[in-house]
Amino acid sequence: MSMVKSSEIKIGLEVHCQLTNLMTKLFCSCSSDYRREDPNTYICPICMGVPGTLPVLNEKALEDATMVAIALNSDISERMLFFRKNYFYPDMPKNFQISQYDKAGGVPFSLGGYVQINKKKIRIRRIQIEEDPGKLIYEGTIESSAYTLVDYNRANIALIEIVTEPDIRSPKEARKFLEKLRSILEHLGVSDGSLEGSMRCDANVSLKGGRRVEIKNISSFKEVERALNFEITRQKKFMEGGLVIGQETRHWDEVRRITISLRSKEEEEDYRYFPEPDLVPIKISKEYLEDIKLRMPELPDDRTKRFMKQYNLLLQNAEILTRNKKIADFFEECLKLYKNPRELSNWLIGELLPYLHNKNKELEEIRFTPKHIVDLLKFIDDGTINRKMAKSILQEILSTRKMPYVIIKEKGLKKILDKKYVIKNVEKVIKDNPKAVEDSLVDEKAIHYLMGQLMILTKGKIDPKIADEILRKRLQLVKNRL
Ligand SMILES: [Zn+2]
């Protein structure tokens, strides 16, 4: 493929994030913890849209959205309505979605804002609160499936939609934006991006000279870069072949890793938006905003600065760690057991993160604990193993979850470990028995006594020959000093 210059690419994202910290759905009291449940178990007349039922807004969802808007520097509307977005689709039992709208007297939840990536600001166009539709399940792919199953457990789950301006210039930058956004949402505690389907994305992309193509249903942040790369290559090839890229909507097929045309749309679809008559308008007071501002947790950019100051990290390393809240938390957990932050950060960034990236895994999926890495680093610090050995041991820890000392023993490094253990205990015996040490210089029996103490202290788990040798050497040192 011929390279496409970044100045010729325009990408905008529409990100849907579930508010996974809520106990219930957006407008009813059904549980939102649906992931391990059988299909269609968490449903009620409200989320199924039975006529005559009344939705009630989940107050916590409003609080979450407010925190998100503040964190993204977006201006929150003082007064707003919910709107009905009407369309007929099997995943939408009511035939309308309760959302927000910026026309017909409506305002979105918030307007404007930005996310900072390195030195660049990706502008936010708007943020709104809406309900998730149900989930359509296909047998195989969307094209080949003979039927579609519908699971309404997800219908009416609280979502926030975050729409960017077309400021993104490459698939890689799109990934960086999404990583940063996810880290912000996780630091706020409103959304856990590791839950399946909790963060989904539509992307629109256009190349210079072509129209805007929208890619729908990218089910995870990881897929976005892939989908955009495919789509940019496809559009470029078409244009080089003299074809015209018209406005259309395409579907990202994760299995085949291609985009497929769903429909070409020359005009915006008419969703017949109108204000939702069953919900009261929302007013956001200054006091409400101030109260939430006071309760805002530490955000990734502030955490980066703190890491630099408190742990003396370089900007680049601090940023890499705070890019993922779980990694940043893990780093700080380790520091409760280990006092060299720079060394630790080098190992996490140089070894752990590449491992997770290559395996396409999240930290919590691999059951790697602070003790795993801290024990390993302590073995380097006390000279038991060198860095090169430690690197290969770490790879083994990551794939087997064994503790470092187990691997060190298995690798035949046990003798070194034993010797260190004996030396440590000999020192203690000598310190605790000054009289016997003094006697030992003239009396062999005192040496036997000290040996006995050493065996008691180590519960007899040491090799007597090695122990005897080390003890006598140590006593010789005492003698030499006299
Ligand atoms: Zn319900």
Side-chain angles (χ1 to χ4, degrees), residues 5 33 170 303:
K5 277 195 226 112
D33 188 15
S170 70
R303 202 173 191 187

Side-chain angles (χ1 to χ4, degrees), residues 238-249:
F238 264 58
M239 287 161 82
E240 280 171 353
L243 296 165
V244 176
I245 296 290
Q247 190 169 332
E248 67 171 330
T249 303

Side-chain angles (χ1 to χ4, degrees), residues 2-60:
S2 52
M3 286 295 290
V4 186
K5 277 195 226 112
S6 63
S7 59
E8 294 175 9
I9 301 173
K10 273 189 184 173
I11 297 168
L13 299 174
E14 211 178 288
V15 187
H16 294 101
C17 305
Q18 289 183 343
L19 300 173
T20 58
N21 65 333
L22 304 181
M23 306 298 287
T24 55
K25 295 184 176 183
L26 185 54
F27 297 117
C28 66
S29 56
C30 287
S31 168
S32 58
D33 188 15
Y34 66 88
R35 284 186 171 75
R36 287 178 302 272
E37 292 305 318
D38 288 337
N40 301 309
T41 46
Y42 288 166
I43 54 174
C44 75
I46 296 174
C47 53
M48 291 302 97
V50 174
T53 55
L54 285 175
V56 177
L57 177 65
N58 185 327
E59 217 173 303
K60 187 85 171 56

Side-chain angles (χ1 to χ4, degrees), residues 27 71 166 207 410 445 452 466:
F27 297 117
L207 301 190
E410 286 171 358
K445 267 191 219 156
I466 295 174

Side-chain angles (χ1 to χ4, degrees), residues 347-359:
W347 280 85
L348 297 186
I349 292 167
E351 304 294 324
L352 177 64
L353 294 184
Y355 176 86
L356 291 172
H357 181 79
N358 292 336
K359 298 274 171 190

